[in-house]
Amino acid sequence: MRIQSTSHRLSKTTLGYCLAIGLATYLTSSPATAASWLVHDVGAFATAAAALQPGDEIVLADGTWTDARLLLKGQGTAAAPIVLRAQTPGKVILSGASDLRLAGSYLQVSNLVFRNGYTPGDAVVAFRESSKAVASHSRVTGLVIDDYSNPDGSDQDYWVSLYGSNNRLDHSQLRGKTNAGPTVVVVRDATQGLDNQHRIDHNWFGPRPALGVNGGETIRVGTSDTSLSDSNSTVENNWFEGCDGETEIVSNKSGGNTFRGNVFYRSAGALTLRHGNGNRVIDNLFLGDDKAGTGGVRIINADQTVSNNYFERLAGSSNRSALAVMDAQANPPLSGYAPVVNATISRNTFVDVAKISFGVGHDEAKGIVVAASNSHFSGNLIVNRTSKNPPNAASSLAGIAFSNNVQSPQASSVFPGGVSSASIALQQAANGLWVPATPLPTIGADPALAMTPREQTGVDWYPKVGEVALTRTSTGVDR
């Protein structure tokens, strides 16, 4: 039996009346159609959510929902998802001890705001009800979580936990997390799913202050115990602005993932391939503005690809170098440092960066002595318009083949060969990036590399309070 309704407030009495009318209609007329409920409190939400069917919609009425613990559960379809949305974007505020869980398939949630409180559970938004009831093929979009932090900084929680498979978090904005725990986490195990195929895209991750200890990542994909299996998830076209929580802005701990088209702006840390093999870091921009601790990509493990990325004015060193290739342990535990093997580092551009580091973490006493092997560093462009000479190496480079690279004004003596000296004049392209005035068709990142516009991430109905005014726009015009 189904009830078809427009957006009217449903009290329990009204709902009972509608059920009776619906039953009579169902017994004497055509098959059921999708229902839509406008609900004003948690009780009405729970009643409406008790037996959701494909195509059903629950609309949260405008206003502040305090201590609202919501569960959206059901089996929608690709053609008829089950929907939960705000009546008006930006006008439904979940505060106090509120959270949201999704379980089932083909669920869609949009345009909710969490602020003035913190989650009473382990996540603000979780794509599961329990370990045995997770979400798949579901989407959360237009989500805003603004300074919704537990005041006990050591009490760990997550803001978004992705479980199951084929889920999406997009066009959302999350800023101001100050307590322990990654902002967004992909949770993987045999029960809740290993081949995740999640998509995290077009989100704006605003400032997150330094936590002071591990656990302040903005995104973590997996954990060390399952890191030898593939998640096959994609993180693309996001903005990371002032994400200073810890050394690992993104902590990759699984295989087969793609990080593409993201912008890291004035974020003190690095995209870290901490565990897992066969990941791709392509077409990203790392813009440091010389802020202390700003970094690029740290490479660990096997079969990693870092290609067609742009690194500019990154001030970090060691783990936070513009490029950090780590040494490893000979027989590492899953939580240790596995050797860099078969890495491809190609066609990247480095402009005015402080450090490009090889053999990072080399430590005889700790047994971190295994240098990269069977790897390739090719077609990269390194330009410094100051006296800085960024390359440095703490161990042998014999396992890395260098070819067709250019450094300006002069190739560093750190390199064993395969890097040419050249005086490269740069000009600013329409996308705001510095490119050779005289094109180098096989060297460096694509001059037409697209910068994901900041305004195309997050939402347009809630302000993006960044750490500083931008010094550039996606069109290259200063403001």
Side-chain angles (χ1 to χ4, degrees):
M1 181 193 67
R2 309 306 318 289
I3 302 170
Q4 185 169 8
S5 170
T6 55
S7 294
H8 297 296
R9 177 171 180 170
L10 284 183
S11 65
K12 292 182 179 179
T13 301
T14 304
L15 182 59
Y17 174 78
C18 290
L19 284 169
I21 297 298
L23 177 60
T25 303
Y26 175 80
L27 294 174
T28 59
S29 62
S30 60
T33 56
S36 178
W37 292 275
L38 175 65
V39 297
H40 289 73
D41 55 50
V42 173
F45 171 86
T47 301
L52 293 168
Q53 299 297 318
D56 284 357
E57 173 185 71
I58 301 178
V59 181
L60 300 187
D62 292 348
T64 298
W65 292 61
T66 303
D67 300 340
R69 306 201 71 179
L70 307 179
L71 171 63
L72 183 68
K73 185 175 183 179
Q75 302 296 329
T77 68
I82 294 171
V83 172
L84 169 65
R85 65 175 178 86
Q87 182 181 11
T88 306
K91 293 188 177 181
V92 173
I93 311 299
L94 293 108
S95 67
S98 295
D99 61 7
L100 169 66
R101 292 171 295 157
L102 296 80
S105 60
Y106 295 102
L107 311 173
Q108 291 188 9
V109 177
S110 61
N111 300 330
L112 304 181
V113 177
F114 287 84
R115 71 181 185 213
N116 299 326
Y118 61 95
T119 176
D122 62 0
V124 180
V125 176
F127 283 72
R128 74 163 185 174
E129 178 187 15
S130 67
S131 61
K132 296 182 180 179
V134 301
S136 65
H137 299 281
S138 295
R139 178 186 184 190
V140 173
T141 186
L143 172 71
V144 173
I145 306 179
D146 187 359
D147 196 21
Y148 201 66
S149 296
N150 191 319
D152 181 353
S154 65
D155 194 349
Q156 176 175 288
D157 59 41
Y158 312 121
W159 278 7
V160 178
S161 297
L162 289 136
Y163 298 85
S165 65
N166 298 97
N167 295 316
R168 183 182 182 192
L169 172 69
D170 69 284
H171 293 89
S172 297
Q173 50 194 69
L174 296 80
R175 67 172 301 278
K177 193 173 194 296
T178 56
N179 65 306
T183 307
V184 174
V185 63
V186 173
V187 181
R188 311 176 64 246
D189 60 41
T191 300
Q192 296 172 106
L194 291 170
D195 185 13
N196 309 115
Q197 301 186 56
H198 297 316
R199 184 182 178 198
I200 301 171
D201 68 286
H202 292 91
N203 302 291
W204 181 78
F205 297 103
R208 177 169 187 177
L211 184 63
V213 294
N214 288 337
E217 306 97 327
T218 296
I219 295 179
R220 189 187 74 204
V221 185
T223 50
S224 59
D225 56 328
T226 58
S227 59
L228 297 183
S229 60
D230 289 351
S231 176
N232 295 316
S233 292
T234 300
V235 178
E236 62 183 350
N237 301 117
N238 302 284
W239 263 75
F240 298 83
E241 186 171 326
C243 294
D244 303 343
E246 64 147 272
T247 297
E248 300 177 13
I249 303 169
V250 174
S251 183
N252 180 85
K253 295 185 176 182
S254 52
N257 299 312
T258 298
F259 302 91
R260 173 175 55 218
N262 302 289
V263 177
F264 294 80
Y265 180 74
R266 291 180 57 88
S267 291
L271 191 167
T272 302
L273 302 177
R274 183 63 183 86
H275 299 300
N277 305 316
N279 298 288
R280 299 193 306 156
V281 180
I282 57 175
D283 307 341
N284 302 282
L285 287 84
F286 299 81
L287 309 173
D289 275 5
D290 297 317
K291 176 182 169 180
T294 50
V297 178
R298 180 158 61 121
I299 302 175
I300 311 166
N301 308 297
D303 303 319
Q304 315 287 34
T305 297
V306 178
S307 184
N308 199 45
N309 301 285
Y310 178 90
F311 306 85
E312 182 189 319
R313 292 171 59 192
L314 301 170
S317 60
S318 188
N319 289 347
R320 303 187 187 200
S321 298
L323 177 73
V325 180
M326 285 203 67
D327 273 8
Q329 299 159 284
N331 295 293
L334 284 174
S335 60
Y337 291 93
V340 174
V341 180
N342 195 36
T344 298
I345 305 165
S346 64
R347 296 296 304 272
N348 301 288
T349 293
F350 302 87
V351 176
D352 298 335
V353 302
K355 295 295 181 182
I356 295 172
S357 302
F358 302 90
V360 173
H362 184 90
D363 190 324
E364 299 281 347
K366 295 180 179 179
I368 302 176
V369 297
V370 180
S373 64
N374 195 36
S375 296
H376 301 270
F377 187 91
S378 62
N380 298 287
L381 175 64
I382 304 168
V383 178
N384 276 75
R385 295 170 290 183
T386 66
S387 59
K388 292 178 181 177
N389 187 18
N392 66 92
S395 61
S396 172
L397 298 181
I400 304 175
F402 292 83
S403 63
N404 199 37
N405 303 283
V406 171
Q407 184 177 357
S408 173
Q410 185 174 351
S412 171
S413 60
V414 167
F415 294 124
V419 183
S420 301
S421 300
S423 181
I424 305 295
L426 299 179
Q427 63 183 15
Q428 202 166 26
N431 57 7
L433 308 184
W434 294 99
V435 300
T438 300
L440 299 173
T442 62
I443 308 294
D446 185 348
L449 178 63
M451 181 191 299
T452 298
R454 185 176 186 261
E455 61 271 17
Q456 290 183 14
T457 63
V459 299
D460 59 9
W461 43 261
Y462 197 95
K464 294 182 177 70
V465 182
E467 67 156 14
V468 294
L470 294 177
T471 58
R472 75 171 81 230
T473 68
S474 57
T475 60
V477 178
D478 290 347
R479 64 176 183 178

